[in-house]
Amino acid sequence: MNSFIKKLVAIGLVSTFQIGASASAAEQDKVVYHIDNASTQATKGLRNIRNHLDTVPNTKIIVVTHAEGVDFLMDGAKDPKNPNVDYGSLVSALKSRGARFEVCEITLKNRNLKREQFSLDTDFTPSGVARVTQLQNKEKYAYIKP
């Protein structure tokens, strides 16, 4: 191979490597936090999410709740073990940093709850379990259960 062609090949390989490295560096971490029991998981989960965002601020985080896990997203909810912990303010602070909080609509039906009982920072999903599955399998979210 003459030196001109060698240089072109080398430039092409370097360019390809740089483009690949840029794409990898730009990829955003995506994580689903799964909460199905607020009394044992909510405070710990919110602390984990805060620490996660403190360390990797551009992480895309979705918190999916169902069953008793939805309780911490209700208006006025506090940690039963530590009533000084106001869940609403913690959720609002994390939402302002990009975290999303979703409540299972099947849980609403089964527990006879209404959307109006939840914080304005809450979104809803038809099925919490199906949503977790979709995020993991189709959207490649990492899974964390606090």
Side-chain angles (χ1 to χ4, degrees), residues 46-47 49-51 53-54 57 61 73 86-101 119-121:
L46 293 171
R47 184 176 50 247
I49 294 164
R50 183 197 63 219
N51 292 343
L53 290 172
D54 285 349
I61 294 177
L73 293 171
D86 171 43
Y87 288 134
S89 60
L90 296 174
V91 169
S92 286
L94 293 171
K95 179 143 181 153
S96 73
R97 296 176 70 185
R100 182 180 171 111
F101 294 84
S119 158
L120 293 177
D121 293 315

mmCIF file of all heavy atoms in Angstrom, residues 46-47 49-51 53-54 57 61 73 86-101 119-121:
data_model
loop_
_atom_site.group_PDB
_atom_site.id
_atom_site.type_symbol
_atom_site.label_atom_id
_atom_site.label_comp_id
_atom_site.label_asym_id
_atom_site.label_seq_id
_atom_site.Cartn_x
_atom_site.Cartn_y
_atom_site.Cartn_z
ATOM 1 N N LEU A 46 -35.725 7.248 47.760
ATOM 2 C CA LEU A 46 -35.547 8.678 47.471
ATOM 3 C C LEU A 46 -34.116 9.112 47.772
ATOM 4 O O LEU A 46 -33.523 9.903 47.034
ATOM 5 C CB LEU A 46 -36.560 9.515 48.256
ATOM 6 C CG LEU A 46 -38.020 9.305 47.833
ATOM 7 C CD1 LEU A 46 -38.965 10.005 48.809
ATOM 8 C CD2 LEU A 46 -38.265 9.790 46.411
ATOM 9 N N ARG A 47 -33.544 8.591 48.847
ATOM 10 C CA ARG A 47 -32.150 8.899 49.179
ATOM 11 C C ARG A 47 -31.225 8.339 48.094
ATOM 12 O O ARG A 47 -30.293 9.020 47.644
ATOM 13 C CB ARG A 47 -31.803 8.327 50.551
ATOM 14 C CG ARG A 47 -30.402 8.675 51.022
ATOM 15 C CD ARG A 47 -30.092 8.184 52.437
ATOM 16 N NE ARG A 47 -30.412 6.782 52.632
ATOM 17 C CZ ARG A 47 -31.380 6.319 53.443
ATOM 18 N NH1 ARG A 47 -32.124 7.156 54.137
ATOM 19 N NH2 ARG A 47 -31.603 5.026 53.563
ATOM 20 N N ILE A 49 -31.942 7.813 44.966
ATOM 21 C CA ILE A 49 -32.122 8.616 43.751
ATOM 22 C C ILE A 49 -31.371 9.938 43.875
ATOM 23 O O ILE A 49 -30.695 10.372 42.936
ATOM 24 C CB ILE A 49 -33.622 8.837 43.458
ATOM 25 C CG1 ILE A 49 -34.279 7.495 43.121
ATOM 26 C CG2 ILE A 49 -33.814 9.845 42.330
ATOM 27 C CD1 ILE A 49 -35.799 7.507 43.199
ATOM 28 N N ARG A 50 -31.467 10.575 45.037
ATOM 29 C CA ARG A 50 -30.733 11.833 45.253
ATOM 30 C C ARG A 50 -29.236 11.596 45.085
ATOM 31 O O ARG A 50 -28.545 12.340 44.377
ATOM 32 C CB ARG A 50 -31.024 12.398 46.644
ATOM 33 C CG ARG A 50 -30.332 13.748 46.877
ATOM 34 C CD ARG A 50 -30.253 14.127 48.336
ATOM 35 N NE ARG A 50 -29.434 13.139 49.027
ATOM 36 C CZ ARG A 50 -29.682 12.678 50.240
ATOM 37 N NH1 ARG A 50 -30.738 13.083 50.914
ATOM 38 N NH2 ARG A 50 -28.875 11.798 50.804
ATOM 39 N N ASN A 51 -28.714 10.551 45.730
ATOM 40 C CA ASN A 51 -27.287 10.243 45.618
ATOM 41 C C ASN A 51 -26.902 9.915 44.178
ATOM 42 O O ASN A 51 -25.833 10.313 43.702
ATOM 43 C CB ASN A 51 -26.922 9.080 46.537
ATOM 44 C CG ASN A 51 -27.035 9.444 47.997
ATOM 45 O OD1 ASN A 51 -27.075 10.617 48.372
ATOM 46 N ND2 ASN A 51 -27.117 8.431 48.849
ATOM 47 N N LEU A 53 -28.331 11.031 41.407
ATOM 48 C CA LEU A 53 -28.291 12.271 40.625
ATOM 49 C C LEU A 53 -27.154 13.191 41.061
ATOM 50 O O LEU A 53 -26.628 13.952 40.245
ATOM 51 C CB LEU A 53 -29.635 12.992 40.706
ATOM 52 C CG LEU A 53 -30.782 12.279 39.969
ATOM 53 C CD1 LEU A 53 -32.112 12.949 40.273
ATOM 54 C CD2 LEU A 53 -30.515 12.242 38.468
ATOM 55 N N ASP A 54 -26.756 13.131 42.331
ATOM 56 C CA ASP A 54 -25.599 13.911 42.781
ATOM 57 C C ASP A 54 -24.328 13.430 42.100
ATOM 58 O O ASP A 54 -23.444 14.217 41.787
ATOM 59 C CB ASP A 54 -25.413 13.796 44.302
ATOM 60 C CG ASP A 54 -26.433 14.603 45.095
ATOM 61 O OD1 ASP A 54 -27.166 15.423 44.497
ATOM 62 O OD2 ASP A 54 -26.504 14.386 46.330
ATOM 63 N N PRO A 57 -25.496 13.400 37.323
ATOM 64 C CA PRO A 57 -26.666 14.279 37.210
ATOM 65 C C PRO A 57 -27.523 14.105 35.966
ATOM 66 O O PRO A 57 -28.707 14.403 35.994
ATOM 67 C CB PRO A 57 -26.073 15.691 37.232
ATOM 68 C CG PRO A 57 -24.653 15.547 37.621
ATOM 69 C CD PRO A 57 -24.253 14.129 37.437
ATOM 70 N N ILE A 61 -34.085 8.968 35.208
ATOM 71 C CA ILE A 61 -34.633 8.095 36.246
ATOM 72 C C ILE A 61 -36.156 8.117 36.199
ATOM 73 O O ILE A 61 -36.768 9.192 36.186
ATOM 74 C CB ILE A 61 -34.138 8.523 37.642
ATOM 75 C CG1 ILE A 61 -32.628 8.297 37.742
ATOM 76 C CG2 ILE A 61 -34.881 7.757 38.742
ATOM 77 C CD1 ILE A 61 -32.005 8.746 39.045
ATOM 78 N N LEU A 73 -46.459 8.781 47.407
ATOM 79 C CA LEU A 73 -46.754 9.810 46.404
ATOM 80 C C LEU A 73 -48.107 10.494 46.636
ATOM 81 O O LEU A 73 -48.495 11.368 45.879
ATOM 82 C CB LEU A 73 -46.702 9.196 45.001
ATOM 83 C CG LEU A 73 -45.313 8.742 44.565
ATOM 84 C CD1 LEU A 73 -45.378 7.955 43.268
ATOM 85 C CD2 LEU A 73 -44.369 9.925 44.448
ATOM 86 N N ASP A 86 -40.962 14.622 54.936
ATOM 87 C CA ASP A 86 -42.110 14.959 54.103
ATOM 88 C C ASP A 86 -41.811 14.495 52.677
ATOM 89 O O ASP A 86 -40.934 15.040 52.013
ATOM 90 C CB ASP A 86 -42.355 16.465 54.135
ATOM 91 C CG ASP A 86 -43.384 16.916 53.133
ATOM 92 O OD1 ASP A 86 -44.419 16.238 52.996
ATOM 93 O OD2 ASP A 86 -43.147 17.955 52.472
ATOM 94 N N TYR A 87 -42.520 13.471 52.245
ATOM 95 C CA TYR A 87 -42.242 12.909 50.927
ATOM 96 C C TYR A 87 -42.493 13.907 49.793
ATOM 97 O O TYR A 87 -41.769 13.913 48.807
ATOM 98 C CB TYR A 87 -43.066 11.646 50.695
ATOM 99 C CG TYR A 87 -42.603 10.457 51.500
ATOM 100 C CD1 TYR A 87 -43.514 9.668 52.185
ATOM 101 C CD2 TYR A 87 -41.271 10.095 51.558
ATOM 102 C CE1 TYR A 87 -43.107 8.562 52.910
ATOM 103 C CE2 TYR A 87 -40.851 8.988 52.285
ATOM 104 C CZ TYR A 87 -41.769 8.227 52.957
ATOM 105 O OH TYR A 87 -41.358 7.130 53.665
ATOM 106 N N GLY A 88 -43.516 14.724 49.927
ATOM 107 C CA GLY A 88 -43.852 15.656 48.848
ATOM 108 C C GLY A 88 -42.697 16.564 48.466
ATOM 109 O O GLY A 88 -42.416 16.761 47.277
ATOM 110 N N SER A 89 -42.012 17.129 49.459
ATOM 111 C CA SER A 89 -40.906 18.036 49.147
ATOM 112 C C SER A 89 -39.723 17.280 48.548
ATOM 113 O O SER A 89 -39.048 17.790 47.644
ATOM 114 C CB SER A 89 -40.476 18.826 50.385
ATOM 115 O OG SER A 89 -40.048 17.953 51.406
ATOM 116 N N LEU A 90 -39.484 16.060 49.013
ATOM 117 C CA LEU A 90 -38.391 15.255 48.452
ATOM 118 C C LEU A 90 -38.676 14.873 46.997
ATOM 119 O O LEU A 90 -37.803 14.963 46.132
ATOM 120 C CB LEU A 90 -38.172 13.988 49.287
ATOM 121 C CG LEU A 90 -37.715 14.191 50.728
ATOM 122 C CD1 LEU A 90 -37.674 12.859 51.463
ATOM 123 C CD2 LEU A 90 -36.369 14.886 50.778
ATOM 124 N N VAL A 91 -39.912 14.472 46.737
ATOM 125 C CA VAL A 91 -40.310 14.102 45.372
ATOM 126 C C VAL A 91 -40.220 15.322 44.455
ATOM 127 O O VAL A 91 -39.686 15.239 43.340
ATOM 128 C CB VAL A 91 -41.722 13.477 45.360
ATOM 129 C CG1 VAL A 91 -42.253 13.342 43.938
ATOM 130 C CG2 VAL A 91 -41.705 12.119 46.058
ATOM 131 N N SER A 92 -40.708 16.466 44.906
ATOM 132 C CA SER A 92 -40.641 17.692 44.087
ATOM 133 C C SER A 92 -39.202 18.060 43.751
ATOM 134 O O SER A 92 -38.904 18.443 42.613
ATOM 135 C CB SER A 92 -41.300 18.865 44.815
ATOM 136 O OG SER A 92 -42.685 18.722 44.803
ATOM 137 N N ALA A 93 -38.322 17.952 44.742
ATOM 138 C CA ALA A 93 -36.911 18.287 44.502
ATOM 139 C C ALA A 93 -36.297 17.350 43.464
ATOM 140 O O ALA A 93 -35.560 17.795 42.575
ATOM 141 C CB ALA A 93 -36.132 18.225 45.812
ATOM 142 N N LEU A 94 -36.625 16.067 43.541
ATOM 143 C CA LEU A 94 -36.078 15.112 42.573
ATOM 144 C C LEU A 94 -36.709 15.286 41.196
ATOM 145 O O LEU A 94 -36.040 15.150 40.171
ATOM 146 C CB LEU A 94 -36.261 13.680 43.078
ATOM 147 C CG LEU A 94 -35.423 13.344 44.321
ATOM 148 C CD1 LEU A 94 -35.821 11.992 44.882
ATOM 149 C CD2 LEU A 94 -33.935 13.397 44.009
ATOM 150 N N LYS A 95 -37.983 15.607 41.173
ATOM 151 C CA LYS A 95 -38.654 15.850 39.889
ATOM 152 C C LYS A 95 -38.018 17.060 39.193
ATOM 153 O O LYS A 95 -37.827 17.047 37.977
ATOM 154 C CB LYS A 95 -40.149 16.066 40.085
ATOM 155 C CG LYS A 95 -40.856 16.337 38.770
ATOM 156 C CD LYS A 95 -42.190 15.732 38.697
ATOM 157 C CE LYS A 95 -42.776 16.062 37.338
ATOM 158 N NZ LYS A 95 -43.721 15.123 36.885
ATOM 159 N N SER A 96 -37.665 18.080 39.971
ATOM 160 C CA SER A 96 -37.033 19.266 39.382
ATOM 161 C C SER A 96 -35.656 18.940 38.796
ATOM 162 O O SER A 96 -35.141 19.677 37.966
ATOM 163 C CB SER A 96 -36.913 20.390 40.413
ATOM 164 O OG SER A 96 -35.903 20.104 41.357
ATOM 165 N N ARG A 97 -35.094 17.805 39.207
ATOM 166 C CA ARG A 97 -33.795 17.355 38.681
ATOM 167 C C ARG A 97 -33.977 16.340 37.554
ATOM 168 O O ARG A 97 -33.012 15.761 37.077
ATOM 169 C CB ARG A 97 -32.968 16.763 39.811
ATOM 170 C CG ARG A 97 -32.631 17.805 40.885
ATOM 171 C CD ARG A 97 -31.894 17.215 42.045
ATOM 172 N NE ARG A 97 -30.544 16.835 41.638
ATOM 173 C CZ ARG A 97 -29.697 16.193 42.423
ATOM 174 N NH1 ARG A 97 -30.044 15.862 43.652
ATOM 175 N NH2 ARG A 97 -28.499 15.867 41.996
ATOM 176 N N GLY A 98 -35.230 16.102 37.144
ATOM 177 C CA GLY A 98 -35.491 15.242 35.994
ATOM 178 C C GLY A 98 -36.075 13.877 36.293
ATOM 179 O O GLY A 98 -36.425 13.149 35.376
ATOM 180 N N ALA A 99 -36.159 13.491 37.563
ATOM 181 C CA ALA A 99 -36.749 12.183 37.894
ATOM 182 C C ALA A 99 -38.244 12.216 37.605
ATOM 183 O O ALA A 99 -38.891 13.253 37.735
ATOM 184 C CB ALA A 99 -36.495 11.838 39.361
ATOM 185 N N ARG A 100 -38.765 11.086 37.225
ATOM 186 C CA ARG A 100 -40.196 10.951 36.918
ATOM 187 C C ARG A 100 -40.785 9.906 37.866
ATOM 188 O O ARG A 100 -40.171 8.872 38.103
ATOM 189 C CB ARG A 100 -40.350 10.518 35.470
ATOM 190 C CG ARG A 100 -41.761 10.377 34.999
ATOM 191 C CD ARG A 100 -41.787 9.944 33.536
ATOM 192 N NE ARG A 100 -43.130 9.606 33.166
ATOM 193 C CZ ARG A 100 -43.873 10.304 32.324
ATOM 194 N NH1 ARG A 100 -43.361 11.359 31.725
ATOM 195 N NH2 ARG A 100 -45.101 9.932 32.053
ATOM 196 N N PHE A 101 -41.991 10.181 38.378
ATOM 197 C CA PHE A 101 -42.650 9.288 39.329
ATOM 198 C C PHE A 101 -43.972 8.833 38.730
ATOM 199 O O PHE A 101 -44.818 9.661 38.385
ATOM 200 C CB PHE A 101 -42.883 10.015 40.662
ATOM 201 C CG PHE A 101 -41.600 10.346 41.367
ATOM 202 C CD1 PHE A 101 -40.879 11.495 41.050
ATOM 203 C CD2 PHE A 101 -41.091 9.494 42.331
ATOM 204 C CE1 PHE A 101 -39.680 11.788 41.682
ATOM 205 C CE2 PHE A 101 -39.892 9.777 42.978
ATOM 206 C CZ PHE A 101 -39.188 10.925 42.654
ATOM 207 N N SER A 119 -49.816 13.638 44.594
ATOM 208 C CA SER A 119 -49.049 14.855 44.357
ATOM 209 C C SER A 119 -49.137 15.248 42.880
ATOM 210 O O SER A 119 -49.239 14.390 41.998
ATOM 211 C CB SER A 119 -47.592 14.572 44.736
ATOM 212 O OG SER A 119 -46.717 15.450 44.099
ATOM 213 N N LEU A 120 -49.028 16.535 42.626
ATOM 214 C CA LEU A 120 -49.022 17.020 41.238
ATOM 215 C C LEU A 120 -47.760 16.565 40.498
ATOM 216 O O LEU A 120 -47.710 16.616 39.276
ATOM 217 C CB LEU A 120 -49.113 18.548 41.211
ATOM 218 C CG LEU A 120 -50.430 19.141 41.711
ATOM 219 C CD1 LEU A 120 -50.366 20.665 41.712
ATOM 220 C CD2 LEU A 120 -51.602 18.655 40.876
ATOM 221 N N ASP A 121 -46.762 16.117 41.243
ATOM 222 C CA ASP A 121 -45.524 15.638 40.640
ATOM 223 C C ASP A 121 -45.628 14.199 40.142
ATOM 224 O O ASP A 121 -44.658 13.626 39.684
ATOM 225 C CB ASP A 121 -44.378 15.737 41.657
ATOM 226 C CG ASP A 121 -44.036 17.181 41.982
ATOM 227 O OD1 ASP A 121 -43.944 17.991 41.039
ATOM 228 O OD2 ASP A 121 -43.871 17.497 43.173
#
